[in-house]
């Protein structure tokens, strides 16, 4: 269970020294799935507001559903907060309420300072107007005077890197040019709070690095921001705390490693415990002379474990039965990170490691010893292949799923576990007299 107590999130010194710039208190929002009913409810609500007859808005009417339910968290000056959840979990709805674009049905949002929503870069641009005209229009909407925009105009254009195109209609811009201009316009308002919804995925790697550098500079000046991203490593790297939404429900508000760990378990294991992964294999693939019937991990004590621990000695084991004498068997393990979109993160191959395996008829346990498991905390799938002479297929196991656990504080912001030791060497200054 994720704790929802802010005492678990930040050190006391951080909480004491930084004021709260945003407070979300019991916020809920409901929508109607039927257009006609939605229009009817809207007219009824407006009439109730006008005549002061608005009743409590915490009851669902026919065809309504909760897009968000009872969300609570706080954001402090200079803090970065991550917002995670699957598509449709209510993240964008929450950002729109914080930005003041829509009102909550229950609860309230307290904002202290200017909010700059980067919910969709360039979405507020008028395609007929030029880039110059859109800069003035957008920055004025975000609260700047014409004098302030004049003072920052050159900085916006330089950051966006659109050059002479500034006086061309935005409809002639590429999507990347419009995105750069939208980002540059928003961040140069120097807001107290930035709302960033998946917009940092745009542009090339150099421009993204430039954006992160600017965000760092703004944080040093006290700007806070809420970052929405499906990139778990980005959230872990940038944010101290995080909020997890699941199908509109508020799951928790806690330190980022705890939130991301729970989010990835729910995302990839569908709420199942890791022990549901049986070490016995049910395969549809036919084997040829070598049958792999079990796949599992062991710890340094030789005990079978269902979830290996990052940074600890781990044995990756397969049990198999050889029907005949087989020489030059090559075992390959291919490990893919589900949090990385199924990208391959590790490959072990006994032949390339110059460890060919020879087997006589019988049963065997083949072990791959890892002095330190380098995988970070997360969910993975593994494919196992057994071949001989590099081409002849013996057997295979595909999509074996497992979870890597560990001490989150020491691993959460890393791509892999690096074994290390710490030494203190005392250097004395010898003076020759």
């Amino acid at each position: 269970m994720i704790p929802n107590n802010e005492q678990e999130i930040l050190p006391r010194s951080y909480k004491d020294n930084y004021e709260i710039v945003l407070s979300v208190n019991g916020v809920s929002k409901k929508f109607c799935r039927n257009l006609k009913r939605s229009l009817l409810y809207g007219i009824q609500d407006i009439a109730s507001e006008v005549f002061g007859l608005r009743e409590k808005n915490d009851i669902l009417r026919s065809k309504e559903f909760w897009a968000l339910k009872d969300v609570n968290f706080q954001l402090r000056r200079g803090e970065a907060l991550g917002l995670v959840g699957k598509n449709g979990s209510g993240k964008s709805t929450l950002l729109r309420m914080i930005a003041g674009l829509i009102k909550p049905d229950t609860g309230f949002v307290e904002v202290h300072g200017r909010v700059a929503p980067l919910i969709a870069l360039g979405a507020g641009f008028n395609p007929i107007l030029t880039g110059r005209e859109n800069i003035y229009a957008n920055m004025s909407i975000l609260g700047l005077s014409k004098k302030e925009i004049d003072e920052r105009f050159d900085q916006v254009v330089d950051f966006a890197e659109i050059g002479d195109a500034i006086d061309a209609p935005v409809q002639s811009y590429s999507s990347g040019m419009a995105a750069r201009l939208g980002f540059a316009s928003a961040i140069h308002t120097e807001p107290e709070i930035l709302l960033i919804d998946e917009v940092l995925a745009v542009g090339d790697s150099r421009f993204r690095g430039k954006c992160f550098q600017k965000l760092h500079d703004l944080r040093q000046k006290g700007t806070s921001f809420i970052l929405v991203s499906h990139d778990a490593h980005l959230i872990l790297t940038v944010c101290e705390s995080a909020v997890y939404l699941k199908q509109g429900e508020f799951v928790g508000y806690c330190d980022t490693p705890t939130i991301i760990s729970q989010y990835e378990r729910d995302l990839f294991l569908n709420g199942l415990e890791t022990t549901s992964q049986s070490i016995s294999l049910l395969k549809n693939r036919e084997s040829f002379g070598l049958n792999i019937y079990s796949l599992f991990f062991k710890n340094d004590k030789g005990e079978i474990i269902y979830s290996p621990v990052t940074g600890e000695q781990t044995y990756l084991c397969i049990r198999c039965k050889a029907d005949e004498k087989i020489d030059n068997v090559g075992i390959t393990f291919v490990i893919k990170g589900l949090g990385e979109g199924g990208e391959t993160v590790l490959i072990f191959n006994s032949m390339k490691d110059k460890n060919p395996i020879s087997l006589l008829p019988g049963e065997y346990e083949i072990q791959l010893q890892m002095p330190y498991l380098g995988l970070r905390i997360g969910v993975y799938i593994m494919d196992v292949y057994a071949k001989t002479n590099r081409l002849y297929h013996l057997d295979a196991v595909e999509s074996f799923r497992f979870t890597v656990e560990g001490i989150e504080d020491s691993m959460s912001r890393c791509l892999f576990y690096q074994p290390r030791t710490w030494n203190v060497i005392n250097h004395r200054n010898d003076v020759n007299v």
Side-chain angles (χ1 to χ4, degrees), residues 333-346 375 379-383 385 398-400 402:
F333 296 104
V334 181
I335 298 176
K336 306 170 185 178
L338 289 183
E340 289 75 25
E343 181 180 353
T344 298
V345 295
L346 268 180
L375 296 173
V379 184
Y380 299 84
I381 56 175
M382 179 166 57
D383 298 333
Y385 302 98
E398 296 179 336
S399 299
F400 179 87
F402 65 94

Side-chain angles (χ1 to χ4, degrees), residues 87-103:
N87 289 333
S89 61
K91 302 187 297 297
S92 295
T93 298
L94 178 58
L95 291 190
R96 284 174 167 80
M97 284 193 287
I98 295 171
L101 302 177
I102 57 177
K103 292 176 60 177

Side-chain angles (χ1 to χ4, degrees), residues 49 58 140 162 205 213 347:
E49 289 280 358
D58 58 352
S140 62
I162 59 175
S205 57
Q213 182 60 50
I347 297 179

Side-chain angles (χ1 to χ4, degrees), residues 39-57:
L39 293 173
L40 175 62
Y41 293 154
I43 294 172
Q44 292 175 345
D45 292 342
I46 292 173
S48 299
E49 289 280 358
V50 171
F51 294 104
L53 301 175
R54 188 78 179 266
E55 300 177 352
K56 287 187 68 177
N57 210 11

Side-chain angles (χ1 to χ4, degrees), residues 161-330:
E161 301 175 359
I162 59 175
D164 296 337
I166 191 63
D167 289 310
V170 167
Q171 65 185 1
S172 66
Y173 289 9
S174 68
S175 59
M177 291 171 65
R180 294 200 301 271
L181 187 60
F183 187 90
S185 299
I187 62 175
H188 282 90
T189 62
E190 297 185 357
E192 278 74 26
I193 304 171
L194 267 171
L195 307 179
I196 308 172
D197 188 359
E198 291 287 2
V199 298
L200 292 178
V202 302
D204 55 32
S205 57
R206 187 189 64 81
F207 182 74
R208 289 198 298 271
K210 186 177 177 180
C211 292
F212 280 113
Q213 182 60 50
K214 184 63 178 180
L215 291 176
H216 172 75
D217 295 341
L218 289 174
R219 286 193 68 188
Q220 296 300 107
K221 298 177 181 178
T223 296
S224 309
F225 61 85
I226 298 177
L227 175 62
V228 177
S229 177
H230 291 288
D231 185 344
H233 183 68
L234 175 61
I235 297 291
L236 284 166
T237 303
V238 174
C239 303
E240 296 90 359
S241 57
V243 171
Y244 177 17
L245 301 176
K246 185 177 181 181
Q247 296 179 338
E249 295 289 333
F250 175 63
V251 178
Y253 162 49
C254 192
D255 63 280
T256 308
T258 300
I259 291 290
I260 293 297
S261 178
Q262 183 62 48
Y263 170 58
E264 290 197 337
R265 283 183 174 85
D266 291 347
L267 187 63
F268 298 121
L269 296 180
N270 296 318
L272 298 175
E273 295 295 329
T274 55
T275 54
S276 64
Q277 169 68 75
S278 172
I279 64 173
S280 298
L281 302 173
L282 296 175
K283 300 180 299 182
N284 296 322
R285 182 185 293 269
E286 184 181 359
S287 59
F288 299 91
L290 180 69
N291 178 41
I292 299 174
Y293 60 85
S294 184
L295 179 61
F296 54 95
F297 295 92
K298 284 185 176 180
N299 59 18
D300 58 347
K301 298 177 181 178
E303 301 167 336
I304 294 177
I305 53 177
Y306 290 93
S307 296
V309 179
T310 188
E312 294 191 358
Q313 184 173 357
T314 304
Y315 294 85
L316 178 50
C317 308
I318 61 174
R319 286 180 181 163
C320 57
K321 181 180 180 181
D323 297 329
E324 57 191 31
K325 181 182 178 182
I326 310 173
D327 294 321
N328 295 318
V329 176

